[in-house]
Amino acid sequence: MFEAVENSFRGLISALQMAKLYGTEHAKFLKAVDQAYDGFQAAFRERSELIFGIVGEELAFEKEVMFDLSKATRPMIVFLKSRNIERLSFYRPMLKEELHKLLVFLVTPADEIKKEPREYLAAKGVKNIDLGQIKSSRDQQPGAGGGAGGEASSQEIYHSAIENFSRTLEDVLDDKEMDSLGLQFNVAGIFESLSSSHQDLLKLVVMKRYDLLTFSHILNVSILSMFFSSKLGLSREESLEIGMAALFHDIGKTYISRQIIRKIDKLSPEEFEQVKGHTVAGAGMLLKYVDSLGMLPVLAAFEHHLKSDFQSYPKTAFPQKPHLGSGIIGVCDIYDALCARRSYKTSLPPVVVYGIMLKEKEKLHFPELVDDFFKIMGVFPIGSLVALSDSRIAVVRQQNEEDIFSPQVEAVFPLDKKESLDLKEDKNGLRIDRWLDPLAEGQPYLRLI
């Protein structure tokens, strides 16, 4: 299905390579332009537009991340990103002269170009090719804004993902076609941020647990699931797939009354049955999107509450061991739910969360995942505010897998006693005395982290 599309991009990259090697007047380059143009014409016989996106070092088209093609063309993908180009759009009827002008632009040194890519091409009379950056799924349309820009911060990535998913959820609830490519872009961007600056993103996970937004919980579970998966040794593709599935694991709760979800008192048997029904409802909602999302979101929605003691839900006719991805998502879901402040409960200290999960782990189909999770995440997660045994206030910066109770911290108060400390290596027996709730006794110190 995508052979002609892939060939068109390969032809573009080949012509770009020829331009970089031989210049834009050489016969080999001109021949490569002819071949690239023929490739685009073949693809245009099936589609009126071809829109490629680049996130991290991956190339995507429509609803697919093209991992194999990304590997084959990675140097050129990195080159395009260095020119602040993350989206390349080609529209029928594109002329060969327009393709030629695009390639000339791409090999012209950036300091010689005084205009944004779109402005430069427009000035050269190019009407059927558009270049820009990926900002959100709604920007991935013909004529959307582009231009230069710096690397997005972890906070921008986090909030962009929440906005993107909230719109996607609206499409699902309205029974509309889902922009799964836009969602894949966001998930891949989060994964890239985890690879380069996981401390910043995990710190956001800790802080955003307290804003009472359902979307924050969903995104937190997705981020934790990807980070956990990658640390377990799963491949990039598997980790991204699990991260996508995690975004939809609780989608069935949209069918439950908000009064029930936010109820402070104990749920009645009838209300609890409604809550338990979110697993089946969510799986049913996602079945129609299998072609674009795959089966794992369906499985995760259905299986993330399954336990081995047969007291879990949904009830099944026979013992069912869930998919490993569902197990990973389930552990991250329990963890974030226990950590979060809700209308019906206050925040639980990390040590209490650890104790609860350790006590309940034998009920899980993958009990070993709980031990693995805390070995990676530590008892006190990155970004936690803690009081040390010498009365200083510190923030957790990094974990020590050999001692999950003794992370690397930065003492931030008093200001004249600031320093970085590895509690595992501290010879004076310095330890964490207690966790500080960021909405209570920890609030005065938030500005210091």
Side-chain angles (χ1 to χ4, degrees):
M1 177 180 178
F2 288 109
E3 183 176 329
V5 172
E6 289 190 5
N7 287 340
S8 68
F9 192 83
R10 288 180 189 275
L12 175 70
I13 297 302
S14 178
L16 182 55
Q17 289 173 321
M18 290 294 139
K20 289 174 71 65
L21 286 172
Y22 300 104
T24 55
E25 303 296 329
H26 198 281
K28 288 188 177 181
F29 166 69
L30 298 176
K31 181 179 179 180
V33 172
D34 290 340
Q35 292 173 339
Y37 182 73
D38 290 341
F40 275 100
Q41 293 308 301
F44 280 141
R45 283 195 283 271
E46 301 176 7
R47 295 171 172 80
S48 60
E49 61 181 30
L50 303 170
I51 302 177
F52 299 92
I54 299 171
V55 175
E57 294 184 357
E58 306 295 349
L59 179 71
F61 177 78
E62 289 188 355
K63 299 172 182 177
E64 296 289 333
V65 178
M66 308 169 86
F67 292 109
D68 291 338
L69 186 57
S70 298
K71 291 177 183 177
T73 59
R74 183 140 296 156
M76 286 298 120
I77 288 175
V78 172
F79 167 75
L80 290 171
K81 288 206 70 175
S82 73
R83 298 293 298 267
N84 291 313
I85 296 168
E86 297 174 334
R87 189 190 66 247
L88 303 92
S89 306
F90 305 86
Y91 306 104
R92 189 174 61 198
M94 180 183 73
L95 303 176
K96 186 189 298 184
E97 290 75 14
E98 292 179 306
L99 184 60
H100 185 277
K101 290 175 182 177
L102 167 67
L103 291 162
V104 171
F105 163 74
L106 290 175
V107 296
T108 302
D111 56 5
E112 295 181 17
I113 306 285
K114 305 302 181 183
K115 299 179 179 179
E116 298 294 336
R118 176 178 290 109
E119 294 174 352
Y120 175 91
L121 292 179
K124 295 292 184 178
V126 177
K127 300 179 180 178
N128 296 300
I129 301 175
D130 189 38
L131 304 178
Q133 290 187 299
I134 297 169
K135 297 186 182 296
S136 72
S137 63
R138 301 294 171 172
D139 293 325
Q140 297 167 34
Q141 306 293 337
E151 194 171 313
S153 69
S154 295
Q155 188 158 348
E156 290 170 332
I157 291 170
Y158 187 97
H159 288 291
S160 173
I162 287 181
E163 180 183 1
N164 186 297
F165 182 68
S166 66
R167 289 171 173 170
T168 300
L169 185 59
E170 289 175 12
D171 291 340
V172 173
L173 295 177
D174 293 338
D175 204 25
K176 296 179 181 177
E177 183 178 352
M178 180 193 301
D179 182 11
S180 60
L181 178 58
L183 215 53
Q184 287 173 343
F185 282 158
N186 276 119
V187 172
I190 290 169
F191 190 85
E192 290 297 326
S193 184
L194 281 171
S195 301
S196 60
S197 55
H198 71 274
Q199 293 96 335
D200 291 338
L201 205 52
L202 292 180
K203 184 174 72 175
L204 276 172
V205 169
V206 171
M207 300 311 300
K208 294 301 178 180
R209 287 194 182 113
Y210 308 100
D211 64 7
L212 299 180
L213 286 174
T214 299
F215 291 136
S216 292
H217 168 67
I218 291 169
L219 184 56
N220 288 351
V221 173
S222 178
I223 292 171
L224 291 171
S225 297
M226 283 192 288
F227 185 68
F228 188 22
S229 299
S230 64
K231 290 295 184 181
L232 286 174
L234 274 65
S235 69
R236 173 191 175 85
E237 290 78 6
E238 290 169 325
S239 298
L240 287 172
E241 186 181 8
I242 289 172
M244 279 288 290
L247 286 175
F248 295 95
H249 78 282
D250 263 347
I251 195 171
K253 286 186 177 177
T254 56
Y255 278 155
I256 302 172
S257 165
R258 286 190 176 185
Q259 288 151 339
I260 294 177
I261 294 293
R262 297 178 177 178
K263 186 175 180 180
I264 298 175
D265 300 327
K266 184 178 180 179
L267 297 179
S268 69
E270 294 78 16
E271 290 170 333
F272 189 51
E273 286 301 314
Q274 287 189 51
V275 171
K276 291 194 293 186
H278 83 272
T279 54
V280 176
M285 293 168 68
L286 293 170
L287 279 172
K288 68 182 73 173
Y289 297 103
V290 168
D291 287 346
S292 57
L293 293 177
M295 272 300 296
L296 188 53
V298 178
L299 293 175
F302 187 82
E303 297 175 340
H304 69 280
H305 283 293
L306 286 181
K307 294 184 175 66
S308 59
D309 63 357
F310 305 110
Q311 301 301 310
S312 58
Y313 56 92
K315 296 296 183 184
T316 55
F318 50 86
Q320 176 177 331
K321 187 167 185 175
H323 187 282
L324 176 61
S326 299
I328 289 172
I329 292 168
V331 167
C332 295
D333 177 56
I334 294 169
Y335 177 75
D336 194 70
L338 286 173
C339 290
R341 178 184 292 266
R342 291 288 185 263
S343 58
Y344 52 81
K345 76 173 185 71
T346 57
S347 308
L348 295 176
V351 173
V352 174
V353 172
Y354 173 70
I356 292 172
M357 293 188 68
L358 211 61
K359 183 178 179 181
E360 297 292 317
K361 74 173 186 176
E362 294 306 323
K363 296 179 181 179
L364 302 178
H365 283 282
F366 302 97
E368 68 279 2
L369 286 178
V370 174
D371 294 323
D372 291 335
F373 181 84
F374 282 103
K375 184 178 180 182
I376 293 166
M377 296 298 299
V379 173
F380 299 95
I382 288 173
S384 297
L385 277 167
V386 294
L388 302 178
S389 54
D390 65 357
S391 299
R392 281 186 290 177
I393 306 302
V395 59
V396 176
R397 295 302 191 195
Q398 190 61 273
Q399 301 300 335
N400 282 317
E401 293 189 7
E402 299 82 5
D403 186 346
I404 60 176
F405 285 90
S406 302
Q408 299 172 40
V409 303
E410 180 186 354
V412 294
F413 188 84
L415 297 179
D416 60 348
K417 294 184 178 180
K418 294 178 65 175
E419 64 174 317
S420 297
L421 301 159
D422 187 340
L423 298 183
K424 183 176 70 70
E425 303 295 336
D426 189 81
K427 293 180 171 51
N428 298 317
L430 191 64
R431 56 179 174 77
I432 292 175
D433 184 59
R434 69 187 187 282
W435 169 76
L436 302 182
D437 187 335
L439 293 185
E441 59 180 329
Q443 192 168 32
Y445 307 104
L446 291 179
R447 60 185 175 82
L448 301 176
I449 68 173

